[in-house]
Amino acid sequence: MKQLVLVFIGGGFGSIARYVLSKYFNNDVTGIPYGTFIANILGSLLIGLILGFAAKNESLNSNQTLLLATGFCGGFTTFSTFAYENHVFLKSGDFMNFFFYAVGSFILGFAAVFLGMFLVKFI
């Protein structure tokens, strides 16, 4: 039960942080979802740092990892919103923004996880 509460709390804070980013960075004029993009890339970097740190030092216990990685990062990043935003690009015929947003998110997201895990070596 304690683990569920930790994921719930972390997810709540992560979701609030994503909402704030989206509110301030999503561009209503161009329709480009910069806030979601930033949240997904930053969340990928954070999960790489958190899980890399947990594996390297074993200084994060399983509850802390649940709170931060599963909870916060899980609430902060969003695949469902990403998928919907890509649907909107495709439906409107905006294939260029679809391509750059989708491909850029995948490439930078993976790179951010690896970068986070790499950076932990120097902490």
Side-chain angles (χ1 to χ4, degrees):
M1 184 66 160
K2 178 181 179 181
Q3 290 87 5
L4 293 176
V5 172
L6 290 170
V7 172
F8 175 77
I9 291 169
F13 281 109
S15 295
I16 290 169
R18 177 172 36 90
Y19 170 76
V20 170
L21 274 177
S22 294
K23 184 160 178 57
Y24 288 103
F25 289 103
N26 282 0
N27 191 322
D28 292 336
V29 175
T30 64
I32 299 174
Y34 294 114
T36 306
F37 181 77
I38 292 167
N40 285 338
I41 303 308
L42 186 56
S44 295
L45 177 65
L46 285 173
I47 204 164
L49 288 167
I50 293 164
L51 295 179
F53 190 71
K56 175 186 175 190
N57 298 2
E58 295 183 15
S59 59
L60 291 178
N61 64 39
S62 63
N63 287 335
Q64 292 166 323
T65 303
L66 278 174
L67 174 74
L68 297 171
T70 305
F72 183 83
C73 290
F76 186 58
T77 60
T78 174
F79 189 79
S80 57
T81 302
F82 167 75
Y84 173 74
E85 291 162 346
N86 278 295
H87 166 76
V88 170
F89 282 140
L90 289 173
K91 187 175 179 182
S92 69
D94 192 350
F95 300 112
M96 186 175 302
N97 277 328
F98 163 75
F99 175 79
F100 284 116
Y101 182 51
V103 173
S105 293
F106 281 118
I107 291 172
L108 292 176
F110 279 106
V113 170
F114 290 118
L115 176 63
M117 297 192 83
F118 175 76
L119 290 175
V120 165
K121 295 178 183 180
F122 302 104
I123 297 175

